[in-house]
Amino acid sequence: MVKDGLKTEGDMVPVNMVFLKGGTQTPNGFVMNLQPSKAEGGFDIRVPLTADLKTLEKCISEEWAPASRNMTF
């Protein structure tokens, strides 16, 4: 969006995944092709001073981590 001139860098909220922890561990390692019962992800979110925090929180809770998908933040 910045490259296309639709937004400036100050309008964007950059989100970068910094870690992902999940999997089903066994004594021999991790089981492949088995969905874990729990997983965690860490994200670095840089919020510009001009961002609407209520809108950002609503976006996270409804789009990125909706309770309907058993996700929390």
Side-chain angles (χ1 to χ4, degrees):
M1 294 182 86
V2 173
K3 286 182 182 180
D4 291 339
L6 301 173
K7 294 201 177 219
T8 66
E9 289 183 5
D11 294 330
M12 302 297 294
V13 177
V15 178
N16 296 296
M17 180 183 281
V18 293
F19 78 87
L20 181 61
K21 182 174 131 183
T24 303
Q25 194 167 9
T26 67
N28 299 327
F30 286 90
V31 176
M32 297 295 291
N33 298 325
L34 180 64
Q35 184 175 2
S37 60
K38 181 179 177 182
E40 295 179 26
F43 297 89
D44 178 16
I45 302 174
R46 302 295 172 110
V47 182
L49 296 174
T50 58
D52 180 357
L53 297 180
K54 295 283 186 198
T55 302
L56 179 60
E57 187 173 333
K58 183 178 178 183
C59 179
I60 293 171
S61 66
E62 293 179 1
E63 296 176 25
W64 299 355
S68 62
R69 296 183 67 195
N70 196 24
M71 299 173 81
T72 60
F73 72 98

CSV table of all heavy atoms in Angstrom, one decimal, residues 2-68:
chain,number,residue,atom,x,y,z
A,2,VAL,N,2.0,1.2,0.7
A,2,VAL,CA,2.9,2.3,0.7
A,2,VAL,C,3.6,2.5,-0.7
A,2,VAL,O,3.6,3.6,-1.2
A,2,VAL,CB,4.0,2.2,1.8
A,2,VAL,CG1,5.0,3.3,1.7
A,2,VAL,CG2,3.4,2.2,3.2
A,3,LYS,N,4.0,1.4,-1.2
A,3,LYS,CA,4.6,1.4,-2.6
A,3,LYS,C,3.7,2.0,-3.6
A,3,LYS,O,4.1,2.6,-4.6
A,3,LYS,CB,5.1,0.0,-3.0
A,3,LYS,CG,6.3,-0.4,-2.2
A,3,LYS,CD,6.8,-1.8,-2.7
A,3,LYS,CE,8.0,-2.2,-2.0
A,3,LYS,NZ,8.5,-3.5,-2.4
A,4,ASP,N,2.4,1.6,-3.5
A,4,ASP,CA,1.4,2.1,-4.5
A,4,ASP,C,0.9,3.5,-4.2
A,4,ASP,O,0.1,4.0,-4.9
A,4,ASP,CB,0.2,1.1,-4.5
A,4,ASP,CG,0.5,-0.2,-5.1
A,4,ASP,OD1,1.5,-0.3,-5.8
A,4,ASP,OD2,-0.2,-1.2,-4.8
A,5,GLY,N,1.4,4.1,-3.1
A,5,GLY,CA,1.0,5.5,-2.8
A,5,GLY,C,-0.4,5.6,-2.2
A,5,GLY,O,-0.9,6.7,-2.0
A,6,LEU,N,-0.9,4.5,-1.7
A,6,LEU,CA,-2.2,4.6,-1.1
A,6,LEU,C,-2.2,5.0,0.4
A,6,LEU,O,-3.1,5.5,0.9
A,6,LEU,CB,-2.9,3.2,-1.2
A,6,LEU,CG,-3.1,2.7,-2.6
A,6,LEU,CD1,-3.7,1.3,-2.6
A,6,LEU,CD2,-4.1,3.6,-3.4
A,7,LYS,N,-1.0,4.7,1.0
A,7,LYS,CA,-0.9,5.1,2.4
A,7,LYS,C,0.6,5.5,2.6
A,7,LYS,O,1.5,5.2,1.9
A,7,LYS,CB,-1.2,3.9,3.3
A,7,LYS,CG,-2.6,3.5,3.3
A,7,LYS,CD,-3.0,2.7,4.6
A,7,LYS,CE,-4.4,2.4,4.5
A,7,LYS,NZ,-5.1,2.5,5.8
A,8,THR,N,0.8,6.3,3.7
A,8,THR,CA,2.2,6.7,4.1
A,8,THR,C,2.6,5.7,5.1
A,8,THR,O,1.8,5.0,5.7
A,8,THR,CB,2.2,8.1,4.6
A,8,THR,OG1,1.5,8.2,5.8
A,8,THR,CG2,1.7,9.1,3.6
A,9,GLU,N,3.9,5.7,5.4
A,9,GLU,CA,4.5,4.8,6.4
A,9,GLU,C,3.8,5.1,7.8
A,9,GLU,O,3.6,4.2,8.6
A,9,GLU,CB,6.0,4.9,6.5
A,9,GLU,CG,6.6,4.3,5.2
A,9,GLU,CD,8.1,4.3,5.3
A,9,GLU,OE1,8.7,4.7,6.4
A,9,GLU,OE2,8.8,3.9,4.3
A,10,GLY,N,3.5,6.3,8.1
A,10,GLY,CA,2.9,6.7,9.3
A,10,GLY,C,1.5,6.2,9.5
A,10,GLY,O,0.9,6.1,10.6
A,11,ASP,N,0.8,5.8,8.4
A,11,ASP,CA,-0.5,5.3,8.4
A,11,ASP,C,-0.6,3.8,8.6
A,11,ASP,O,-1.6,3.2,8.9
A,11,ASP,CB,-1.2,5.6,7.1
A,11,ASP,CG,-1.4,7.1,6.8
A,11,ASP,OD1,-1.6,7.8,7.8
A,11,ASP,OD2,-1.5,7.5,5.7
A,12,MET,N,0.5,3.1,8.5
A,12,MET,CA,0.6,1.7,8.6
A,12,MET,C,0.9,1.2,10.0
A,12,MET,O,1.7,1.9,10.7
A,12,MET,CB,1.6,1.1,7.6
A,12,MET,CG,1.3,1.5,6.1
A,12,MET,SD,-0.2,0.9,5.5
A,12,MET,CE,0.1,-0.9,5.5
A,13,VAL,N,0.4,0.0,10.3
A,13,VAL,CA,0.8,-0.6,11.6
A,13,VAL,C,1.5,-1.9,11.2
A,13,VAL,O,1.0,-2.9,10.9
A,13,VAL,CB,-0.5,-0.9,12.5
A,13,VAL,CG1,-0.1,-1.6,13.7
A,13,VAL,CG2,-1.3,0.3,12.8
A,14,PRO,N,2.9,-1.8,11.3
A,14,PRO,CA,3.7,-3.0,10.9
A,14,PRO,C,3.6,-4.1,12.0
A,14,PRO,O,3.6,-3.8,13.2
A,14,PRO,CB,5.1,-2.5,10.8
A,14,PRO,CG,5.1,-1.2,11.6
A,14,PRO,CD,3.7,-0.7,11.6
A,15,VAL,N,3.4,-5.3,11.5
A,15,VAL,CA,3.3,-6.5,12.4
A,15,VAL,C,4.3,-7.5,11.9
A,15,VAL,O,4.2,-7.9,10.7
A,15,VAL,CB,1.8,-7.1,12.4
A,15,VAL,CG1,1.7,-8.3,13.2
A,15,VAL,CG2,0.8,-6.0,12.8
A,16,ASN,N,5.1,-7.9,12.8
A,16,ASN,CA,6.1,-9.0,12.5
A,16,ASN,C,6.1,-10.1,13.5
A,16,ASN,O,6.1,-9.9,14.7
A,16,ASN,CB,7.5,-8.4,12.5
A,16,ASN,CG,7.7,-7.3,11.4
A,16,ASN,OD1,7.6,-7.6,10.2
A,16,ASN,ND2,7.9,-6.1,11.8
A,17,MET,N,5.9,-11.3,13.0
A,17,MET,CA,6.0,-12.5,13.9
A,17,MET,C,7.4,-12.7,14.4
A,17,MET,O,8.3,-12.7,13.6
A,17,MET,CB,5.5,-13.7,13.2
A,17,MET,CG,5.5,-15.0,14.1
A,17,MET,SD,5.1,-16.5,13.2
A,17,MET,CE,3.3,-16.3,13.2
A,18,VAL,N,7.6,-12.8,15.7
A,18,VAL,CA,8.9,-13.0,16.2
A,18,VAL,C,9.1,-14.4,16.8
A,18,VAL,O,10.2,-14.8,16.9
A,18,VAL,CB,9.2,-11.9,17.3
A,18,VAL,CG1,9.3,-10.5,16.7
A,18,VAL,CG2,8.2,-11.9,18.4
A,19,PHE,N,8.0,-15.1,17.1
A,19,PHE,CA,8.2,-16.5,17.5
A,19,PHE,C,6.8,-17.2,17.3
A,19,PHE,O,5.8,-16.6,17.3
A,19,PHE,CB,8.7,-16.6,18.9
A,19,PHE,CG,7.7,-16.5,20.0
A,19,PHE,CD1,6.9,-17.5,20.5
A,19,PHE,CD2,7.5,-15.2,20.6
A,19,PHE,CE1,6.0,-17.3,21.5
A,19,PHE,CE2,6.6,-15.1,21.7
A,19,PHE,CZ,5.8,-16.1,22.1
A,20,LEU,N,7.0,-18.5,17.1
A,20,LEU,CA,5.8,-19.4,17.0
A,20,LEU,C,6.2,-20.7,17.8
A,20,LEU,O,7.2,-21.3,17.6
A,20,LEU,CB,5.5,-19.8,15.6
A,20,LEU,CG,4.3,-20.7,15.3
A,20,LEU,CD1,3.0,-20.0,15.9
A,20,LEU,CD2,4.2,-21.0,13.9
A,21,LYS,N,5.3,-21.0,18.8
A,21,LYS,CA,5.6,-22.1,19.6
A,21,LYS,C,4.4,-23.1,19.6
A,21,LYS,O,3.3,-22.6,19.9
A,21,LYS,CB,5.8,-21.7,21.1
A,21,LYS,CG,6.1,-22.7,22.1
A,21,LYS,CD,6.5,-22.1,23.4
A,21,LYS,CE,5.7,-22.7,24.5
A,21,LYS,NZ,6.0,-22.1,25.8
A,22,GLY,N,4.6,-24.3,19.1
A,22,GLY,CA,3.5,-25.2,19.0
A,22,GLY,C,4.0,-26.6,18.6
A,22,GLY,O,5.2,-26.8,18.4
A,23,GLY,N,3.1,-27.5,18.6
A,23,GLY,CA,3.5,-28.9,18.2
A,23,GLY,C,3.2,-29.9,19.4
A,23,GLY,O,3.0,-29.5,20.5
A,24,THR,N,3.2,-31.1,19.0
A,24,THR,CA,3.0,-32.2,20.0
A,24,THR,C,4.3,-32.9,20.2
A,24,THR,O,4.8,-33.5,19.2
A,24,THR,CB,1.9,-33.1,19.5
A,24,THR,OG1,0.7,-32.4,19.3
A,24,THR,CG2,1.6,-34.2,20.5
A,25,GLN,N,4.9,-32.8,21.4
A,25,GLN,CA,6.2,-33.3,21.6
A,25,GLN,C,6.1,-34.8,22.1
A,25,GLN,O,5.2,-35.1,22.9
A,25,GLN,CB,7.0,-32.5,22.6
A,25,GLN,CG,8.4,-32.8,22.7
A,25,GLN,CD,9.2,-31.7,23.5
A,25,GLN,OE1,8.6,-30.8,24.1
A,25,GLN,NE2,10.5,-31.8,23.4
A,26,THR,N,7.1,-35.6,21.7
A,26,THR,CA,7.2,-37.0,22.2
A,26,THR,C,8.6,-37.1,22.7
A,26,THR,O,9.5,-36.3,22.5
A,26,THR,CB,6.9,-38.0,21.0
A,26,THR,OG1,8.0,-37.9,20.1
A,26,THR,CG2,5.6,-37.8,20.4
A,27,PRO,N,8.9,-38.3,23.3
A,27,PRO,CA,10.3,-38.5,23.7
A,27,PRO,C,11.3,-38.4,22.6
A,27,PRO,O,12.5,-38.1,22.8
A,27,PRO,CB,10.3,-39.9,24.4
A,27,PRO,CG,8.9,-40.0,24.8
A,27,PRO,CD,8.0,-39.3,23.8
A,28,ASN,N,10.9,-38.7,21.4
A,28,ASN,CA,11.8,-38.8,20.2
A,28,ASN,C,11.8,-37.5,19.4
A,28,ASN,O,12.4,-37.4,18.4
A,28,ASN,CB,11.4,-39.9,19.3
A,28,ASN,CG,11.5,-41.3,20.0
A,28,ASN,OD1,12.3,-41.5,20.9
A,28,ASN,ND2,10.6,-42.2,19.7
A,29,GLY,N,11.0,-36.5,19.8
A,29,GLY,CA,11.0,-35.2,19.0
A,29,GLY,C,9.5,-34.8,19.0
A,29,GLY,O,8.8,-34.9,19.9
A,30,PHE,N,9.2,-34.2,17.8
A,30,PHE,CA,7.8,-33.7,17.6
A,30,PHE,C,7.1,-34.6,16.6
A,30,PHE,O,7.7,-35.2,15.7
A,30,PHE,CB,7.8,-32.3,17.0
A,30,PHE,CG,8.2,-31.3,18.1
A,30,PHE,CD1,9.5,-30.9,18.3
A,30,PHE,CD2,7.2,-30.7,18.9
A,30,PHE,CE1,9.8,-30.0,19.3
A,30,PHE,CE2,7.5,-29.8,19.9
A,30,PHE,CZ,8.9,-29.4,20.1
A,31,VAL,N,5.8,-34.8,16.8
A,31,VAL,CA,4.9,-35.5,15.9
A,31,VAL,C,4.6,-34.7,14.7
A,31,VAL,O,4.1,-33.5,14.9
A,31,VAL,CB,3.6,-36.0,16.6
A,31,VAL,CG1,2.7,-36.7,15.7
A,31,VAL,CG2,4.0,-36.9,17.8
A,32,MET,N,4.8,-35.1,13.5
A,32,MET,CA,4.4,-34.4,12.3
A,32,MET,C,3.0,-34.6,12.0
A,32,MET,O,2.4,-35.7,12.3
A,32,MET,CB,5.3,-34.8,11.1
A,32,MET,CG,6.8,-34.6,11.4
A,32,MET,SD,7.2,-32.8,11.4
A,32,MET,CE,6.9,-32.3,9.8
A,33,ASN,N,2.3,-33.7,11.3
A,33,ASN,CA,0.9,-33.8,10.8
A,33,ASN,C,-0.1,-34.1,11.9
A,33,ASN,O,-1.0,-34.8,11.7
A,33,ASN,CB,0.8,-34.9,9.8
A,33,ASN,CG,1.7,-34.6,8.6
A,33,ASN,OD1,1.8,-33.5,8.2
A,33,ASN,ND2,2.3,-35.6,8.0
A,34,LEU,N,0.1,-33.5,13.1
A,34,LEU,CA,-0.8,-33.6,14.2
A,34,LEU,C,-1.0,-32.2,14.7
A,34,LEU,O,-0.1,-31.5,15.2
A,34,LEU,CB,-0.3,-34.5,15.3
A,34,LEU,CG,-1.2,-34.7,16.5
A,34,LEU,CD1,-2.5,-35.4,16.1
A,34,LEU,CD2,-0.5,-35.5,17.6
A,35,GLN,N,-2.3,-31.8,14.7
A,35,GLN,CA,-2.6,-30.4,15.2
A,35,GLN,C,-2.5,-30.4,16.7
A,35,GLN,O,-3.1,-31.1,17.4
A,35,GLN,CB,-4.0,-30.1,14.8
A,35,GLN,CG,-4.4,-28.6,15.1
A,35,GLN,CD,-5.8,-28.3,14.6
A,35,GLN,OE1,-6.5,-29.1,14.0
A,35,GLN,NE2,-6.2,-27.0,14.9
A,36,PRO,N,-1.7,-29.4,17.2
A,36,PRO,CA,-1.5,-29.3,18.7
A,36,PRO,C,-2.7,-28.7,19.3
A,36,PRO,O,-3.5,-28.0,18.7
A,36,PRO,CB,-0.3,-28.4,18.8
A,36,PRO,CG,-0.3,-27.5,17.6
A,36,PRO,CD,-0.9,-28.4,16.5
A,37,SER,N,-2.9,-29.1,20.6
A,37,SER,CA,-4.1,-28.5,21.3
A,37,SER,C,-3.9,-27.1,21.7
A,37,SER,O,-4.8,-26.4,22.0
A,37,SER,CB,-4.3,-29.4,22.6
A,37,SER,OG,-3.2,-29.4,23.4
A,38,LYS,N,-2.6,-26.6,21.7
A,38,LYS,CA,-2.3,-25.2,22.1
A,38,LYS,C,-1.1,-24.8,21.3
A,38,LYS,O,-0.2,-25.5,21.0
A,38,LYS,CB,-2.0,-25.2,23.6
A,38,LYS,CG,-1.7,-23.8,24.1
A,38,LYS,CD,-1.4,-23.8,25.6
A,38,LYS,CE,-1.0,-22.5,26.1
A,38,LYS,NZ,-0.7,-22.5,27.5
A,39,ALA,N,-1.1,-23.5,20.9
A,39,ALA,CA,0.0,-22.9,20.2
A,39,ALA,C,0.1,-21.4,20.6
A,39,ALA,O,-0.9,-20.8,21.0
A,39,ALA,CB,-0.1,-23.0,18.7
A,40,GLU,N,1.3,-20.9,20.6
A,40,GLU,CA,1.5,-19.5,20.9
A,40,GLU,C,2.3,-18.8,19.8
A,40,GLU,O,3.2,-19.4,19.2
A,40,GLU,CB,2.3,-19.4,22.2
A,40,GLU,CG,1.6,-19.9,23.4
A,40,GLU,CD,2.5,-19.8,24.7
A,40,GLU,OE1,3.4,-18.9,24.7
A,40,GLU,OE2,2.3,-20.6,25.6
A,41,GLY,N,2.0,-17.6,19.6
A,41,GLY,CA,2.8,-16.8,18.7
A,41,GLY,C,3.0,-15.4,19.3
A,41,GLY,O,2.2,-14.9,20.0
A,42,GLY,N,4.2,-14.9,19.0
A,42,GLY,CA,4.6,-13.6,19.5
A,42,GLY,C,4.7,-12.6,18.3
A,42,GLY,O,5.3,-13.0,17.3
A,43,PHE,N,4.2,-11.4,18.4
A,43,PHE,CA,4.2,-10.5,17.4
A,43,PHE,C,4.8,-9.1,17.9
A,43,PHE,O,4.4,-8.7,18.9
A,43,PHE,CB,2.8,-10.3,16.8
A,43,PHE,CG,2.2,-11.5,16.2
A,43,PHE,CD1,1.5,-12.4,17.0
A,43,PHE,CD2,2.4,-11.8,14.9
A,43,PHE,CE1,1.0,-13.6,16.4
A,43,PHE,CE2,1.9,-12.9,14.3
A,43,PHE,CZ,1.2,-13.8,15.1
A,44,ASP,N,5.6,-8.5,17.0
A,44,ASP,CA,6.1,-7.2,17.3
A,44,ASP,C,5.2,-6.2,16.5
A,44,ASP,O,5.2,-6.3,15.3
A,44,ASP,CB,7.6,-7.1,16.8
A,44,ASP,CG,8.2,-5.7,17.0
A,44,ASP,OD1,7.6,-4.9,17.7
A,44,ASP,OD2,9.2,-5.5,16.4
A,45,ILE,N,4.5,-5.4,17.2
A,45,ILE,CA,3.5,-4.5,16.6
A,45,ILE,C,4.0,-3.1,16.9
A,45,ILE,O,4.0,-2.7,18.1
A,45,ILE,CB,2.1,-4.7,17.1
A,45,ILE,CG1,1.6,-6.1,16.8
A,45,ILE,CG2,1.1,-3.7,16.4
A,45,ILE,CD1,0.3,-6.5,17.4
A,46,ARG,N,4.3,-2.3,15.9
A,46,ARG,CA,4.8,-0.9,16.0
A,46,ARG,C,3.6,0.0,15.7
A,46,ARG,O,3.1,0.1,14.6
A,46,ARG,CB,5.9,-0.6,15.1
A,46,ARG,CG,7.1,-1.5,15.3
A,46,ARG,CD,7.8,-1.3,16.7
A,46,ARG,NE,8.8,-2.3,16.9
A,46,ARG,CZ,10.1,-2.0,17.0
A,46,ARG,NH1,10.5,-0.8,16.8
A,46,ARG,NH2,10.9,-3.0,17.3
A,47,VAL,N,3.1,0.6,16.8
A,47,VAL,CA,1.9,1.4,16.6
A,47,VAL,C,2.3,2.9,16.5
A,47,VAL,O,2.9,3.5,17.4
A,47,VAL,CB,1.0,1.2,17.9
A,47,VAL,CG1,-0.3,2.1,17.7
A,47,VAL,CG2,0.6,-0.2,18.1
A,48,PRO,N,1.9,3.5,15.4
A,48,PRO,CA,2.2,4.9,15.2
A,48,PRO,C,1.4,5.8,16.2
A,48,PRO,O,0.3,5.4,16.7
A,48,PRO,CB,1.8,5.3,13.8
A,48,PRO,CG,1.3,4.0,13.2
A,48,PRO,CD,1.2,3.0,14.2
A,49,LEU,N,1.9,7.0,16.5
A,49,LEU,CA,1.2,7.9,17.5
A,49,LEU,C,-0.1,8.3,17.0
A,49,LEU,O,-1.0,8.6,17.8
A,49,LEU,CB,2.1,9.1,17.7
A,49,LEU,CG,3.5,8.8,18.4
A,49,LEU,CD1,4.3,10.1,18.4
A,49,LEU,CD2,3.3,8.3,19.8
A,50,THR,N,-0.4,8.3,15.7
A,50,THR,CA,-1.6,8.7,15.1
A,50,THR,C,-2.7,7.6,15.0
A,50,THR,O,-3.8,7.8,14.7
A,50,THR,CB,-1.4,9.3,13.7
A,50,THR,OG1,-0.8,8.3,12.9
A,50,THR,CG2,-0.5,10.5,13.8
A,51,ALA,N,-2.3,6.4,15.4
A,51,ALA,CA,-3.2,5.2,15.3
A,51,ALA,C,-4.4,5.3,16.3
A,51,ALA,O,-4.2,5.8,17.4
A,51,ALA,CB,-2.5,3.9,15.5
A,52,ASP,N,-5.5,4.8,15.9
A,52,ASP,CA,-6.7,4.8,16.8
A,52,ASP,C,-6.6,3.4,17.5
A,52,ASP,O,-6.8,2.4,16.9
A,52,ASP,CB,-8.0,4.8,16.0
A,52,ASP,CG,-9.2,4.7,16.8
A,52,ASP,OD1,-9.1,4.6,18.1
A,52,ASP,OD2,-10.3,4.8,16.3
A,53,LEU,N,-6.2,3.5,18.8
A,53,LEU,CA,-6.0,2.2,19.6
A,53,LEU,C,-7.2,1.4,19.7
A,53,LEU,O,-7.1,0.1,19.7
A,53,LEU,CB,-5.4,2.6,20.9
A,53,LEU,CG,-4.0,3.3,20.9
A,53,LEU,CD1,-3.5,3.6,22.3
A,53,LEU,CD2,-3.0,2.4,20.1
A,54,LYS,N,-8.4,2.0,19.9
A,54,LYS,CA,-9.6,1.2,20.0
A,54,LYS,C,-9.9,0.4,18.7
A,54,LYS,O,-10.3,-0.8,18.8
A,54,LYS,CB,-10.8,2.1,20.3
A,54,LYS,CG,-10.7,2.8,21.6
A,54,LYS,CD,-11.1,1.9,22.7
A,54,LYS,CE,-11.1,2.7,24.0
A,54,LYS,NZ,-11.1,1.9,25.2
A,55,THR,N,-9.7,1.0,17.6
A,55,THR,CA,-9.8,0.4,16.3
A,55,THR,C,-8.8,-0.8,16.1
A,55,THR,O,-9.2,-1.9,15.7
A,55,THR,CB,-9.7,1.4,15.1
A,55,THR,OG1,-10.7,2.4,15.3
A,55,THR,CG2,-9.9,0.7,13.8
A,56,LEU,N,-7.6,-0.5,16.5
A,56,LEU,CA,-6.6,-1.6,16.4
A,56,LEU,C,-6.9,-2.8,17.3
A,56,LEU,O,-6.8,-3.9,16.9
A,56,LEU,CB,-5.2,-1.0,16.8
A,56,LEU,CG,-4.0,-2.0,16.8
A,56,LEU,CD1,-3.8,-2.6,15.4
A,56,LEU,CD2,-2.8,-1.3,17.3
A,57,GLU,N,-7.3,-2.5,18.6
A,57,GLU,CA,-7.7,-3.6,19.5
A,57,GLU,C,-8.9,-4.4,18.9
A,57,GLU,O,-9.0,-5.6,19.0
A,57,GLU,CB,-8.0,-3.0,20.9
A,57,GLU,CG,-8.3,-4.1,21.9
A,57,GLU,CD,-8.4,-3.6,23.3
A,57,GLU,OE1,-7.9,-2.5,23.6
A,57,GLU,OE2,-9.0,-4.3,24.1
A,58,LYS,N,-9.9,-3.7,18.4
A,58,LYS,CA,-11.0,-4.3,17.8
A,58,LYS,C,-10.6,-5.2,16.6
A,58,LYS,O,-11.1,-6.3,16.5
A,58,LYS,CB,-12.1,-3.3,17.3
A,58,LYS,CG,-13.3,-3.9,16.7
A,58,LYS,CD,-14.3,-2.8,16.3
A,58,LYS,CE,-15.5,-3.5,15.7
A,58,LYS,NZ,-16.5,-2.5,15.2
A,59,CYS,N,-9.7,-4.7,15.8
A,59,CYS,CA,-9.2,-5.5,14.7
A,59,CYS,C,-8.5,-6.8,15.2
A,59,CYS,O,-8.7,-7.9,14.6
A,59,CYS,CB,-8.2,-4.7,13.8
A,59,CYS,SG,-7.5,-5.5,12.5
A,60,ILE,N,-7.7,-6.7,16.2
A,60,ILE,CA,-7.0,-7.8,16.7
A,60,ILE,C,-8.0,-8.8,17.3
A,60,ILE,O,-7.9,-10.0,17.0
A,60,ILE,CB,-6.0,-7.4,17.8
A,60,ILE,CG1,-4.8,-6.6,17.2
A,60,ILE,CG2,-5.4,-8.6,18.6
A,60,ILE,CD1,-3.9,-6.0,18.2
A,61,SER,N,-8.9,-8.4,18.1
A,61,SER,CA,-9.9,-9.3,18.8
A,61,SER,C,-10.9,-9.9,17.8
A,61,SER,O,-11.3,-11.0,18.0
A,61,SER,CB,-10.6,-8.6,19.9
A,61,SER,OG,-11.4,-7.6,19.4
A,62,GLU,N,-11.3,-9.2,16.7
A,62,GLU,CA,-12.3,-9.7,15.8
A,62,GLU,C,-11.7,-10.4,14.6
A,62,GLU,O,-12.3,-11.3,14.1
A,62,GLU,CB,-13.2,-8.6,15.4
A,62,GLU,CG,-14.1,-8.1,16.5
A,62,GLU,CD,-15.0,-6.9,16.1
A,62,GLU,OE1,-15.0,-6.6,14.9
A,62,GLU,OE2,-15.7,-6.4,17.0
A,63,GLU,N,-10.6,-9.9,14.1
A,63,GLU,CA,-10.0,-10.5,12.9
A,63,GLU,C,-8.8,-11.4,13.1
A,63,GLU,O,-8.7,-12.4,12.5
A,63,GLU,CB,-9.6,-9.3,11.9
A,63,GLU,CG,-10.8,-8.5,11.5
A,63,GLU,CD,-10.4,-7.3,10.6
A,63,GLU,OE1,-9.3,-7.4,10.0
A,63,GLU,OE2,-11.2,-6.3,10.6
A,64,TRP,N,-7.9,-11.0,13.9
A,64,TRP,CA,-6.6,-11.7,14.1
A,64,TRP,C,-6.8,-12.8,15.1
A,64,TRP,O,-6.2,-13.9,14.9
A,64,TRP,CB,-5.5,-10.8,14.5
A,64,TRP,CG,-5.1,-9.7,13.5
A,64,TRP,CD1,-5.7,-9.5,12.3
A,64,TRP,CD2,-4.2,-8.7,13.7
A,64,TRP,NE1,-5.1,-8.4,11.7
A,64,TRP,CE2,-4.2,-7.9,12.5
A,64,TRP,CE3,-3.4,-8.4,14.7
A,64,TRP,CZ2,-3.4,-6.8,12.4
A,64,TRP,CZ3,-2.6,-7.2,14.6
A,64,TRP,CH2,-2.6,-6.5,13.4
A,65,ALA,N,-7.5,-12.6,16.2
A,65,ALA,CA,-7.6,-13.6,17.3
A,65,ALA,C,-9.0,-13.7,17.8
A,65,ALA,O,-9.3,-13.4,18.9
A,65,ALA,CB,-6.6,-13.2,18.4
A,66,PRO,N,-10.0,-14.1,16.9
A,66,PRO,CA,-11.4,-14.1,17.4
A,66,PRO,C,-11.7,-15.2,18.4
A,66,PRO,O,-11.1,-16.3,18.3
A,66,PRO,CB,-12.1,-14.3,16.1
A,66,PRO,CG,-11.2,-15.1,15.2
A,66,PRO,CD,-9.8,-14.5,15.5
A,67,ALA,N,-12.5,-14.9,19.4
A,67,ALA,CA,-12.8,-15.9,20.4
A,67,ALA,C,-13.6,-17.0,19.7
A,67,ALA,O,-13.5,-18.2,20.2
A,67,ALA,CB,-13.7,-15.2,21.5
A,68,SER,N,-14.3,-16.8,18.6
A,68,SER,CA,-15.0,-17.8,17.9
A,68,SER,C,-14.1,-19.0,17.4
A,68,SER,O,-14.5,-20.1,17.2
A,68,SER,CB,-15.8,-17.3,16.8
A,68,SER,OG,-15.0,-16.7,15.8
